Amino acid sequence: MPSSSLLLSRRDLDFQLYDWLDAEALTRRARYAEHSRETFDDALDLSERIATRHFAPHNKKNDQEEPWFDGEQVHTVKEVSEALGVFAESGLLAAAVDEEYGGMGMPHTVATACFSYFQAANVGTSAYPFLTLGNARLLCAHGSREQIDTFVRPMLEGRFFGTMCLSEPQAGSSLADVATRAEPQPDGTYRLFGTKMWISGGDHELSENIVHLVLARVPGGPAGVKGLSLFVVPKYLVGPDGSPGERNDVVPAGLNHKMGYRGTTNTLLNFGEGAHHRPGGTPGAVGHLVGDEHRGLAYMFHMMNGARIGVGAGAMALGYTGYLKSLAYARERPQGRALAAGGKDAAAPQVPIVQHPDVRRMLLAQKSYVEGALGLLLYCSMLVDEQRSAAAEEDRARAELLLDVLTPIAKSWPSQWCLEANSLAIQVHGGYGYTREYDVEQHYRDNRLNPIHEGTHGIQGLDLLGRKVVQHGGAGLRALDGAVRETLRRAEAAGGEAAALAGTLGGYWERATTVTARLWESGDPETALANSSVYLEAVGHVVVAWIWLGQFLATLSADRADAGAEAFLRGKQQAARYFFRVELPRTGPQFDLLAALDTVAAETDPDWL
Amino acid sequence: MPSSSLLLSRRDLDFQLYDWLDAEALTRRARYAEHSRETFDDALDLSERIATRHFAPHNKKNDQEEPWFDGEQVHTVKEVSEALGVFAESGLLAAAVDEEYGGMGMPHTVATACFSYFQAANVGTSAYPFLTLGNARLLCAHGSREQIDTFVRPMLEGRFFGTMCLSEPQAGSSLADVATRAEPQPDGTYRLFGTKMWISGGDHELSENIVHLVLARVPGGPAGVKGLSLFVVPKYLVGPDGSPGERNDVVPAGLNHKMGYRGTTNTLLNFGEGAHHRPGGTPGAVGHLVGDEHRGLAYMFHMMNGARIGVGAGAMALGYTGYLKSLAYARERPQGRALAAGGKDAAAPQVPIVQHPDVRRMLLAQKSYVEGALGLLLYCSMLVDEQRSAAAEEDRARAELLLDVLTPIAKSWPSQWCLEANSLAIQVHGGYGYTREYDVEQHYRDNRLNPIHEGTHGIQGLDLLGRKVVQHGGAGLRALDGAVRETLRRAEAAGGEAAALAGTLGGYWERATTVTARLWESGDPETALANSSVYLEAVGHVVVAWIWLGQFLATLSADRADAGAEAFLRGKQQAARYFFRVELPRTGPQFDLLAALDTVAAETDPDWL
């Protein structure tokens, strides 16, 4: 049943979840025993239905009438609140949380697929619950029982929303410079003072309360990131009965007006500036410490890894829906004639532009990016499930290592290439695609945020090359090496074209590991890291080629029973071929540059620019 | 004297015009004998001053309060009209037109540099005069004396504005399908009926009149592009005294709302729909034939080549100003610490982000794109001057061939890579760059139009590979080959690093010519053209490397007298090295794909997508 919603292809989701990743096997594990293919499919159906009916229709409106600030509070168009009400009602948010916290314990893999529908339909509106989910998961992992009862349960019910407050105007990529101060109080609470920047969902009237998770510094602690502690700071203080009461001293000081992603309000937030200070009371915003002092960044990273994969998923979803829309347009729009049929013979009828090879090239490129990105994200989500549910400790540890090393790629690769997909989707539409009457224009603007937030592209490069591939004595890279070689072996065993693809990938993978070693052989972090962004891009492309090889293998044994299966599987194979022939070779000159330890950029004196 | 306007670098302009291209030599030719380095410099000074004072300040306002249509006519913010008044007053528009038409006969090369300041400052507002100039030049070349007197003179005085009306809702890339009809009348005029789409400057109240140049079909003529004729259709009919009088039957039917480039109104225009039809009069919009019937497309191409180079220049200018703004930001913005200085040591003060190697990489990449693009466009402009003023017929013919083959690259390369530069400019700004408070956000949106209008990227690829390199028995490619080899010889003679760069470029150029031959050896246009966009990109990169080699050579002998010269020339050399080490090798896999006659996209069945 191919999708008609133009959000994601359900046929592709089914193929990736069941034919390739065998997500159904998860239901044989104790943790997911309550589930079945039917409950998975029901959740996917429900997600597509709600996303199509309640999220997609106001996507453009939420862009054109972005949230506004009246000096006191932030307002959003009414459709946002309606959509979020339906979403809360559906129970999907809680679906991805463990039963002990009031959830349904659905595998992360299925939740990722479900949530992608919402991101494809309306990335601005869907950010509210997804930020809330990240917040809730962090508190489940590191908060006290009381914090979970007070804040997590209402978040999972959709009554409270959550944020994460890390950046400050002077501290974005450099969290070591966070200056917000948290003064301990005799009653065990803290009072916070400072300003946080880029806070998505930082203020609105969409929920009964907003639960801010805030990085701040307890006076007397170590300098830098080692002195950061994490606090829950609710917009309204919560009474003993759990209901929101008095206003806490957290106030929006203004909104950021973005190129895209406009539906998600983004605020500058002041903590403890005195706007809600009761005469005679202690000044500052009331905060509750999460876990121990000075361990805030480690806790936040727990959320940030999930958030980074979420950014990749959002980028993928925008790329995916843009692909489907440009494909639909290319099938309908008549323009010009096929070269084979005489080219400029004006007496012949025009053909749909999908008949032109260059348009097919742009569509196939998009397909290879978005289906590759979906695969990467579902694979990473499977690793989360593996980490949670594998029987052997060894398998759980291996999943964690793999997830760690893949996270910067899962964040950055879709952000780069699914943005490129959106650019191609515009190009397929021609001038129409550049107008705000067509969806692809907005997708491109929305998607441009993704290489920036949750750690820029450059930060991901440093994370991958400077941390992930070297930490634990290189165990992360070894785990990835094992996973890649396992796929190569299966492809070689399959013979024919699969074996040929494996031969190609094997060469590039060898190159990636050799270059990694070469970079660190230099013994000089500055030289090693001079081109870490290039490294990120090259390794990212090789990793996605590996994902494509896995999918190619799955086509060989997939069920061809229903009418559209054959064409779908041929398309899947063709996209894999495209990726291997056109995309993978791009990494050759990148690896050459890295292997040469090139420092042309690093050695450039700022005065020469 | 480095520029402080952050529009273009005047030092770079001076270097490219005088040290590299020796534009001053033009003043020794009869055609430009009235000019001198002083008149050139005065024009550049004047352009920078007017662009800075009158165009840049309302760039954002013209984006945020885009032109609006009240159902009758189109309105723009008042600053547009004020700026255009100052521009008209300056005489700069006429400067680039021959004296016999009331111009100042300034070389095209200098005019391109001057006009780039306006495009960098405000691409939306500057489109009005530049479209007018293209229109005026076409009429000078192909119109009658009476058409020149009636329409061109007021355009050069800034009283009338011009448009070009080619596309229709059903005919964009495929001009063979233009359906607008032109019925001949007994008085020698024509009456036009039809709808034109994407008409920039199609309606407004900024000028006394609007002079539309319209492609239409005289009934009974050949089908396809061979049956198109060109007409002048003024918004207001012009009386015998030259003053605009009665309204012609051309009316805006609506505006296109674009992602960027919003300051230039873009309309759907109806011709002869009856809105201004006098009872008893003959219906239709009054049009005057330009030249002969059925030769309209050839005339229009005369304008389109100039317009395509103008698109490239606009893309370059947006890229250039974005580069300078992100450089200024990188020098000011403190964030993090240099790795060498301990990286995360929070006790050390933060450093400006230009100190981080990855930020320098993003700046150097931008520099290599925007200065390379400027070089390409100035070189093409020099070819226009050569075509007009070279003493020998042979040199004029060679310049024309070279210009023909370079036009698709001059249009598409800056559109692709200076858009990428704008993306990097955003990335250097981090989250701030994604907000509408910073200029680079708008530059990116504005620049996204350039790969679409005046012939999409795909159309340019077909033009280059399907026409320009094969026409006249391959003479265009041979002319380019001669020009490239001339630079290679000079670089080899210079020895040292220049010779080494020549060795590298020689290899890639050899590859480009071999692959071109290989593609056409197939004898099958479908196979040859299957990857024409890839060909366009690969050859474009090699051509820009050649431009960079020319600039590198010029640094060796450039004057180092003033204080900043040394640093500037080192930066110029470094950008050349960056282009050769990081950019040029990207073409290797592209040539491999082309040489393999790969058809993975072409052979994809639309049903598989």
Side-chain angles (χ1 to χ4, degrees):
Chain A
M1 159 210 70
S3 166
S4 57
S5 66
L6 301 187
L7 298 178
L8 303 170
S9 157
R10 177 62 181 271
R11 186 186 287 278
D12 185 33
L13 274 178
D14 286 349
F15 169 82
Q16 297 208 25
L17 287 172
Y18 303 121
D19 290 309
W20 174 44
L21 293 171
D22 193 15
E24 207 173 342
L26 290 170
T27 64
R28 292 193 291 274
R29 294 183 176 176
R31 184 172 178 133
Y32 302 120
E34 304 278 299
H35 287 278
S36 63
R37 164 108 189 216
E38 284 65 40
T39 66
F40 295 171
D41 287 350
D42 287 350
L44 290 166
D45 291 343
L46 180 67
S47 298
E48 180 165 14
R49 200 162 58 237
I50 298 177
T52 305
R53 292 189 192 162
H54 300 279
F55 282 66
H58 71 281
N59 187 44
K60 214 181 281 287
K61 185 173 182 185
N62 206 12
D63 177 66
Q64 290 169 351
E65 303 174 30
E66 67 185 328
W68 65 100
F69 182 45
D70 63 13
E72 291 268 323
Q73 62 185 46
V74 179
H75 305 271
T76 50
V77 296
K78 66 177 185 347
E79 288 84 352
V80 175
S81 158
E82 288 167 11
L84 295 176
V86 175
F87 184 82
E89 197 68 27
S90 75
L92 280 163
L93 194 65
V97 173
D98 273 5
E99 288 169 32
E100 62 172 304
Y101 305 115
M104 283 160 47
M106 179 180 286
H108 198 72
T109 311
V110 180
T112 295
C114 288
F115 292 165
S116 297
Y117 274 114
F118 295 93
Q119 294 178 299
N122 190 327
V123 82
T125 297
S126 62
Y128 296 101
F130 299 153
L131 282 164
T132 301
L133 183 61
N135 182 311
R137 282 181 176 148
L138 189 158
L139 281 178
C140 287
H142 302 290
S144 66
R145 184 84 252 165
E146 192 190 341
Q147 287 167 345
I148 293 171
D149 287 338
T150 310
F151 300 111
V152 174
R153 290 186 191 279
M155 284 199 278
L156 296 181
E157 290 160 16
R159 295 192 295 110
F160 292 8
F161 284 0
T163 75
M164 51 201 284
C165 301
L166 289 79
S167 297
E168 298 179 0
Q170 83 298 345
S173 292
S174 174
L175 289 174
D177 295 288
V178 158
T180 295
R181 198 171 87 243
E183 307 270 5
Q185 303 299 310
D187 66 355
T189 66
Y190 292 73
R191 296 293 167 129
L192 276 76
F193 303 87
T195 299
K196 291 289 177 180
M197 182 65 167
W198 308 118
I199 310 310
S200 288
D203 195 61
H204 51 71
E205 294 294 305
L206 295 166
S207 56
E208 294 172 29
N209 205 350
I210 304 178
V211 181
H212 302 292
L213 282 175
V214 186
L215 281 185
R217 206 171 276 290
V218 179
V225 295
K226 288 174 182 162
L228 295 175
S229 303
L230 184 65
F231 299 89
V232 183
V233 184
K235 176 176 177 180
Y236 296 100
L237 299 175
V238 179
D241 66 343
S243 68
E246 200 184 324
R247 189 77 148 79
N248 200 356
D249 197 7
V250 187
V251 295
L255 301 191
N256 294 305
H257 298 98
K258 294 168 293 184
M259 176 194 296
Y261 235 105
R262 297 187 183 185
T264 307
T265 183
N266 188 281
T267 59
L268 184 69
L269 276 188
N270 284 336
F271 291 79
E273 68 149 20
H276 294 281
H277 174 220
R278 281 165 310 148
T282 316
V286 177
H288 309 279
L289 181 69
V290 178
D292 300 323
E293 282 187 0
H294 313 321
R295 298 203 48 212
L297 196 67
Y299 303 148
M300 199 52 113
F301 261 107
H302 181 275
M303 176 171 170
M304 227 162 6
N305 280 340
R308 287 177 173 176
I309 292 173
V311 167
M316 173 280 293
L318 287 168
Y320 212 121
T321 186
Y323 163 57
L324 295 178
K325 286 165 185 165
S326 66
L327 174 59
Y329 183 82
R331 287 184 165 145
E332 300 271 313
R333 166 77 175 172
Q335 191 77 178
R337 281 134 201 104
L339 202 59
K344 289 184 176 169
D345 174 12
Q350 297 207 58
V351 296
I353 60 172
V354 74
Q355 295 293 343
H356 301 307
D358 194 56
V359 172
R360 283 211 292 288
R361 180 188 64 81
M362 295 192 278
L363 292 167
L364 194 57
Q366 288 180 68
K367 184 177 169 79
S368 82
Y369 301 149
V370 305
E371 295 183 6
L374 174 63
L376 176 62
L377 292 156
L378 291 177
Y379 184 88
C380 288
S381 303
M382 277 294 275
L383 292 174
V384 174
D385 289 322
E386 191 72 5
Q387 226 184 325
R388 288 178 181 167
S389 69
E393 164 60 27
E394 177 185 51
D395 290 338
R396 295 196 297 272
R398 179 181 153 278
E400 185 168 346
L401 279 170
L402 258 178
L403 187 60
D404 252 13
V405 79
L406 287 175
T407 294
I409 297 170
K411 193 272 178 185
S412 62
W413 197 90
S415 298
Q416 178 173 7
W417 293 99
C418 295
L419 173 62
E420 177 63 22
N422 285 152
S423 187
L424 290 170
I426 288 175
Q427 202 66 20
V428 168
H429 282 76
Y432 292 98
Y434 191 67
T435 66
R436 309 202 294 279
E437 278 74 21
Y438 283 75
D439 289 355
V440 290
E441 180 274 335
Q442 184 184 343
H443 298 328
Y444 178 71
R445 282 188 291 108
D446 287 351
N447 221 346
R448 184 62 188 79
L449 178 59
N450 289 317
I452 299 172
H453 66 165
E454 303 299 344
T456 61
H457 205 65
I459 293 292
Q460 303 303 321
L462 290 171
D463 184 46
L464 179 66
L465 180 57
R467 254 179 102 225
K468 298 300 176 60
V469 302
V470 284
Q471 69 186 0
H472 315 306
L477 192 60
R478 277 196 303 279
L480 183 56
D481 185 70
V484 170
R485 290 188 193 281
E486 191 272 328
T487 308
L488 292 177
R489 273 192 299 275
R490 285 194 294 119
E492 282 151 15
E497 190 177 0
L501 294 175
T504 304
L505 176 62
Y508 282 96
W509 178 247
E510 189 65 38
R511 195 83 214 276
T513 52
T514 313
V515 161
T516 306
R518 167 106 181 93
L519 285 169
W520 283 111
E521 264 164 31
S522 74
D524 167 24
E526 256 194 298
T527 304
L529 297 174
N531 293 300
S532 49
S533 292
V534 177
Y535 180 85
L536 175 74
E537 292 182 15
V539 174
H541 247 51
V542 176
V543 162
V544 174
W546 160 57
I547 295 286
W548 266 114
L549 180 58
Q551 294 194 39
F552 186 91
L553 281 170
T555 64
L556 303 178
S557 54
D559 183 22
R560 284 171 158 73
D562 81 291
E566 186 62 35
F568 168 79
L569 294 170
R570 279 174 180 254
K572 183 63 88 178
Q573 293 175 348
Q574 195 73 355
R577 286 178 198 118
Y578 175 87
F579 202 87
F580 272 71
R581 288 194 208 160
V582 181
E583 295 296 328
L584 190 50
R586 289 184 198 264
T587 63
Q590 294 175 318
F591 285 127
D592 292 345
L593 188 81
L594 291 160
L597 301 180
D598 189 87
T599 52
V600 64
E603 79 201 11
T604 302
D605 189 313
D607 289 342
W608 301 348
L609 294 167
Chain B
M1 158 211 72
S3 168
S4 58
S5 66
L6 300 187
L7 297 178
L8 302 171
S9 158
R10 177 61 179 273
R11 187 186 287 278
D12 185 34
L13 273 178
D14 286 349
F15 169 82
Q16 296 209 25
L17 286 174
Y18 304 121
D19 290 310
W20 175 44
L21 292 172
D22 192 16
E24 207 173 342
L26 289 170
T27 63
R28 293 193 290 274
R29 294 183 177 177
R31 184 172 178 136
Y32 302 121
E34 305 277 303
H35 287 279
S36 63
R37 165 108 188 215
E38 285 64 41
T39 65
F40 295 172
D41 286 350
D42 287 350
L44 290 166
D45 291 344
L46 179 67
S47 297
E48 180 166 14
R49 199 161 58 240
I50 298 178
T52 304
R53 291 191 192 161
H54 300 279
F55 281 67
H58 72 281
N59 188 43
K60 215 182 279 286
K61 184 172 182 187
N62 206 12
D63 177 65
Q64 289 169 350
E65 303 174 32
E66 67 185 328
W68 65 101
F69 182 45
D70 63 12
E72 290 269 324
Q73 61 185 48
V74 179
H75 305 271
T76 50
V77 295
K78 67 178 185 344
E79 289 83 352
V80 176
S81 160
E82 288 167 12
L84 294 176
V86 175
F87 185 82
E89 197 68 26
S90 75
L92 280 163
L93 194 66
V97 172
D98 274 3
E99 291 169 31
E100 62 172 304
Y101 307 116
M104 283 159 45
M106 178 181 285
H108 199 71
T109 311
V110 181
T112 295
C114 290
F115 293 165
S116 297
Y117 274 113
F118 296 93
Q119 293 178 301
N122 190 326
V123 81
T125 297
S126 63
Y128 296 101
F130 299 153
L131 282 164
T132 302
L133 183 61
N135 183 311
R137 282 179 177 150
L138 190 157
L139 280 178
C140 286
H142 302 291
S144 65
R145 177 57 33 197
E146 190 191 342
Q147 286 167 347
I148 293 172
D149 288 338
T150 310
F151 300 111
V152 174
R153 291 187 190 281
M155 284 199 278
L156 295 183
E157 289 160 17
R159 295 192 294 111
F160 291 9
F161 284 179
T163 74
M164 50 199 284
C165 301
L166 289 79
S167 296
E168 298 179 2
Q170 83 297 344
S173 292
S174 173
L175 289 175
D177 295 289
V178 159
T180 295
R181 201 168 87 243
E183 305 270 4
Q185 303 298 311
D187 66 355
T189 66
Y190 292 74
R191 295 294 166 126
L192 276 76
F193 302 88
T195 299
K196 291 290 177 179
M197 181 64 165
W198 309 119
I199 309 309
S200 287
D203 196 60
H204 51 72
E205 294 295 305
L206 296 166
S207 55
E208 295 172 30
N209 204 352
I210 304 177
V211 181
H212 302 291
L213 283 175
V214 186
L215 281 183
R217 206 173 275 291
V218 179
V225 294
K226 289 176 181 159
L228 295 176
S229 305
L230 184 64
F231 299 89
V232 184
V233 183
K235 177 176 176 180
Y236 296 100
L237 299 177
V238 180
D241 66 342
S243 68
E246 199 184 324
R247 189 78 149 80
N248 200 358
D249 197 6
V250 187
V251 295
L255 300 191
N256 295 305
H257 297 99
K258 293 168 294 185
M259 176 192 298
Y261 236 106
R262 294 187 185 186
T264 307
T265 181
N266 188 281
T267 58
L268 183 69
L269 277 189
N270 283 336
F271 291 80
E273 67 150 18
H276 293 281
H277 175 219
R278 282 165 308 149
T282 316
V286 177
H288 309 280
L289 181 69
V290 177
D292 299 324
E293 282 187 358
H294 313 321
R295 299 202 48 211
L297 196 67
Y299 303 148
M300 199 52 113
F301 261 106
H302 181 274
M303 176 169 169
M304 226 158 10
N305 280 340
R308 285 177 175 177
I309 292 175
V311 167
M316 174 278 294
L318 287 167
Y320 212 121
T321 188
Y323 163 58
L324 295 179
K325 287 165 185 166
S326 65
L327 174 59
Y329 182 84
R331 287 185 166 144
E332 299 271 313
R333 166 76 175 171
Q335 193 74 179
R337 282 135 199 104
L339 203 57
K344 288 183 177 169
D345 174 11
Q350 298 208 56
V351 297
I353 60 172
V354 75
Q355 296 293 344
H356 300 306
D358 194 55
V359 172
R360 283 212 292 289
R361 181 188 63 81
M362 292 192 280
L363 292 168
L364 194 56
Q366 287 180 68
K367 185 177 168 78
S368 83
Y369 302 150
V370 305
E371 296 183 5
L374 174 62
L376 176 63
L377 292 156
L378 291 178
Y379 184 88
C380 287
S381 303
M382 276 295 275
L383 293 175
V384 174
D385 289 322
E386 190 72 7
Q387 227 185 326
R388 286 178 183 167
S389 70
E393 162 61 27
E394 180 185 47
D395 290 339
R396 294 197 298 275
R398 178 181 154 277
E400 183 167 348
L401 278 171
L402 258 177
L403 186 61
D404 251 14
V405 79
L406 288 175
T407 295
I409 296 169
K411 192 273 176 184
S412 62
W413 197 90
S415 298
Q416 180 173 6
W417 293 99
C418 296
L419 172 63
E420 177 62 22
N422 285 150
S423 186
L424 290 169
I426 289 175
Q427 202 66 20
V428 167
H429 282 75
Y432 293 98
Y434 191 67
T435 66
R436 308 203 293 278
E437 279 73 21
Y438 283 77
D439 288 356
V440 291
E441 180 273 337
Q442 184 185 342
H443 298 328
Y444 178 71
R445 283 188 289 108
D446 287 351
N447 222 347
R448 184 61 188 81
L449 178 59
N450 288 317
I452 299 172
H453 65 164
E454 304 299 343
T456 61
H457 205 67
I459 293 292
Q460 304 302 323
L462 290 172
D463 184 45
L464 180 66
L465 180 57
R467 251 178 104 225
K468 298 299 175 59
V469 302
V470 283
Q471 70 186 0
H472 314 307
L477 192 60
R478 277 197 304 279
L480 183 57
D481 185 69
V484 171
R485 290 188 193 280
E486 192 272 329
T487 308
L488 292 176
R489 273 192 301 273
R490 284 192 298 118
E492 282 152 15
E497 190 177 1
L501 293 176
T504 304
L505 176 61
Y508 282 96
W509 177 248
E510 188 65 39
R511 195 84 214 276
T513 52
T514 314
V515 161
T516 308
R518 166 103 179 98
L519 285 169
W520 284 112
E521 264 164 31
S522 74
D524 167 25
E526 255 193 297
T527 303
L529 298 173
N531 292 301
S532 49
S533 293
V534 176
Y535 180 85
L536 175 73
E537 292 183 14
V539 174
H541 247 50
V542 176
V543 162
V544 173
W546 160 58
I547 295 288
W548 266 114
L549 180 58
Q551 295 194 40
F552 186 91
L553 280 172
T555 63
L556 303 179
S557 54
D559 182 23
R560 284 170 159 74
D562 82 290
E566 188 61 37
F568 168 79
L569 294 170
R570 279 174 181 256
K572 183 63 88 177
Q573 292 174 349
Q574 196 71 354
R577 288 178 197 117
Y578 176 88
F579 202 86
F580 272 72
R581 289 195 208 157
V582 182
E583 294 295 329
L584 191 49
R586 290 184 196 263
T587 63
Q590 294 175 317
F591 285 128
D592 292 344
L593 188 81
L594 291 160
L597 302 180
D598 190 86
T599 50
V600 63
E603 78 202 9
T604 302
D605 189 313
D607 289 343
W608 301 349
L609 292 167

